[in-house]
Amino acid sequence: MIPDKSSLERISATAVVESNLEWILGDDLELVRQRIQQACRSAYPLLDDLIAAHLHTHYPRAIIVLGTSRLGHTERSQRVALAAAIELLHLAMNVHDAIPRGEVERSERNRLLLGAAILVGDFCFSQASRLAAETESPAVVTAFADALARLSEQRVRHLLEAPQEAHRDDAVLYVAAAEAAALLVGLPRPIRYALREAAAAFGEVLTDSETALAEAIARLDALLSDRPVARPLMNWLRSRRPV
């Protein structure tokens, strides 16, 4: 239902801002985009073209990193580097998804395609790790390494057990975004765990519990009730779906 004019007039300017996290994060998101493009740039046009074919224009994992970072204090360069690192990790997995599944005809073209997907994906992994290290936080780097290990283990298990089925890494990546950002700004453990739970539910593949997204957000909301700065993130999680 479209609200009438009188209803719209009763909506405060603050409420409008709080419902638009992406607008609040606009400058940081632009810097994230620039860092991703810089990290993906090489001396080889073919490599650049292969990576560009998998780049996205929307960065939900970066939004979770940046939105979580607003709950504490950190240098802009650190949170931007972390957000770009998580998105590059997602990019690397997407590139590896281009690897042919099942039985593939042995040909020079397929051999080159397989090799390119592996090498380009690994290049993105290395650039993501470099960006994560720029946070200069051992805890963040450890969380990033743990996420990479979980992604790799899941991929190997999927390859061995169900190679023909589609595989999604949403839960691991969204949890990594929330966990690493919470560590970066030093959030208390209860809030950090609640953020992990909400991020996992947001990714639609629950990891630590079977809590529904609404319940996870409600629990997080209760913990953050004394932090008005958290409202845009809560509203974004309620109104968006992973991409």
Side-chain angles (χ1 to χ4, degrees):
M1 177 183 297
I2 299 176
D4 57 32
K5 183 177 180 181
S6 60
S7 297
L8 289 173
E9 289 174 346
R10 289 196 296 270
I11 300 176
S12 69
T14 300
V16 172
V17 169
E18 288 179 352
S19 67
N20 197 342
L21 179 62
E22 294 178 47
W23 179 82
I24 295 172
L25 301 177
D27 290 343
D28 279 3
L29 283 172
E30 174 58 23
L31 290 175
V32 169
R33 184 187 66 80
Q34 293 175 12
R35 290 307 310 270
I36 291 173
Q37 290 183 339
Q38 291 169 2
C40 293
R41 194 172 299 131
S42 72
Y44 304 97
L46 178 59
L47 175 60
D48 293 346
D49 290 343
L50 287 170
I51 295 175
H54 291 86
L55 282 174
H56 293 278
T57 57
H58 184 54
Y59 304 122
R61 287 149 290 272
I63 289 171
I64 288 182
V65 169
L66 298 174
T68 300
S69 297
R70 296 181 74 245
L71 306 181
H73 302 284
T74 184
E75 295 293 330
R76 169 181 268 189
S77 61
Q78 292 177 311
R79 63 178 182 263
V80 166
L82 176 58
I86 297 294
E87 287 293 348
L88 269 177
L89 194 53
H90 171 65
L91 175 62
M93 304 311 293
N94 278 349
V95 172
H96 275 178
D97 280 340
I99 296 174
R101 299 173 182 271
E103 294 185 8
V104 179
E105 179 185 353
R106 299 183 66 177
S107 66
E108 183 66 13
R109 179 183 180 279
N110 286 336
R111 187 183 71 82
L112 290 174
L113 177 62
L114 176 62
I118 293 173
L119 292 175
V120 173
D122 289 351
F123 173 78
C124 293
F125 278 131
S126 67
Q127 295 299 87
S129 299
R130 178 177 296 177
L131 283 167
E134 288 186 20
T135 63
E136 300 180 343
S137 167
V140 168
V141 172
T142 298
F144 184 88
D146 288 344
L148 180 54
R150 287 196 298 274
L151 286 169
S152 299
E153 291 167 5
Q154 284 189 8
R155 285 297 176 107
V156 170
R157 190 182 310 116
H158 177 260
L159 179 64
L160 295 176
E161 297 176 358
Q164 300 300 330
E165 297 179 7
H167 179 71
R168 299 187 67 179
D169 304 298
D170 290 341
V172 174
L173 288 167
Y174 286 115
V175 167
E179 171 81 0
L183 289 167
L184 183 63
V185 298
L187 293 178
R189 184 174 296 179
I191 293 178
R192 197 168 78 240
Y193 286 174
L195 279 164
R196 282 171 48 90
E197 188 177 59
F202 183 78
E204 297 182 312
V205 183
L206 305 185
T207 52
D208 295 335
S209 74
E210 296 181 355
T211 307
L213 177 59
E215 295 174 345
I217 292 177
R219 181 175 294 111
L220 180 60
D221 218 356
L223 288 170
L224 296 173
S225 60
D226 61 340
R227 300 185 187 220
V229 73
R231 290 173 187 164
L233 177 60
M234 298 296 98
N235 292 336
W236 187 85
L237 288 170
R238 289 188 183 98
S239 62
R240 297 294 189 277
R241 298 308 303 153
V243 177

